Amino acid sequence: MLSDLWEKRTGDLKARVQDDASQIRQIEKKIATVVGRITEAERPELISAYENEIKRLQSRWVVLAENLEDMRTPARGGDETFRTTMAFLANPWRIWDSGEASARKLVLRLVFPTPVAYCTNEGFRTGAIPLPFRLFRGSDTPDWAMVEPRGFEPLTSAVRLQRSPN
């Protein structure tokens, strides 16, 4: 299931890369067209408008190029990501103890989804428990509370119907 999800996200990312690359090519064509118009323009107002259009297109091009570069940088593989996730869930302290600042920051964000409250009289308060740890914690209800004491059978009347002698 996780590998299927990973493959879907990888496919989505490839589609986004192709889309952004297509948009970059379109912007480059538009810039070339506007530059051609500037060389033919004689009025200063037109030249100024064309220059503003080129600046707008270039800023859009820069954003798309940066996004494209970020998406093309190789990420960890699905198996490595899964192993890292399971290692974190098994023992967050091991990752914290590695001493790496980025790893510690990540552990803090994952273990404490909301800022930890601090009371001056009592110290740190118990924070919200993140979803993965709530799932592994189990149910808070005792097993006996899951089923009614009388069982699953429907209740029957204590008075039995007597058949009339016919």
Side-chain angles (χ1 to χ4, degrees):
M1 185 171 74
L2 289 173
S3 66
D4 290 345
L5 178 63
W6 186 264
E7 291 301 320
K8 182 185 179 322
R9 288 197 177 180
T10 303
D12 292 347
L13 182 64
K14 286 179 184 177
R16 282 186 55 211
V17 166
Q18 290 174 347
D19 184 50
D20 284 359
S22 171
Q23 286 183 34
I24 285 175
R25 286 190 297 274
Q26 289 174 356
I27 288 174
E28 289 170 347
K29 287 179 185 177
K30 286 179 184 177
I31 289 175
T33 303
V34 174
V35 167
R37 289 180 182 169
I38 285 179
T39 58
E40 296 173 2
E42 296 177 5
R43 293 185 12 217
E45 307 87 37
L46 278 176
I47 293 173
S48 176
Y50 288 145
E51 287 173 347
N52 289 336
E53 179 67 11
I54 288 175
K55 287 178 187 175
R56 187 186 67 77
L57 289 170
Q58 284 177 335
S59 65
R60 177 72 181 139
W61 185 92
V62 167
V63 169
L64 285 170
E66 286 176 358
N67 288 345
L68 193 59
E69 187 62 34
D70 288 344
M71 287 188 282
R72 284 190 176 164
T73 54
R76 295 180 180 187
D79 291 337
E80 185 180 352
T81 303
F82 178 74
R83 283 193 300 271
T84 304
T85 303
M86 290 299 121
F88 168 76
L89 291 173
N91 190 355
W93 175 253
R94 190 178 314 144
I95 295 173
W96 177 269
D97 201 31
S98 71
E100 229 179 283
S102 61
R104 286 185 169 196
K105 190 181 234 183
L106 180 62
V107 168
L108 283 175
R109 281 194 329 206
L110 293 172
V111 172
F112 301 108
T114 58
V116 180
Y118 182 79
C119 178
T120 53
N121 296 335
E122 301 174 21
F124 286 104
R125 307 299 301 157
T126 303
I129 299 173
L131 178 64
F133 295 110
R134 280 187 291 177
L135 292 175
F136 289 128
R137 180 178 63 188
S139 176
D140 286 338
T141 19
D143 291 340
W144 57 266
M146 299 283 240
V147 177
E148 298 275 335
R150 64 180 178 261
F152 290 108
E153 297 83 22
L155 293 177
T156 57
S157 173
V159 178
R160 296 204 181 256
L161 295 175
Q162 296 181 0
R163 292 190 167 191
S164 59
N166 283 343

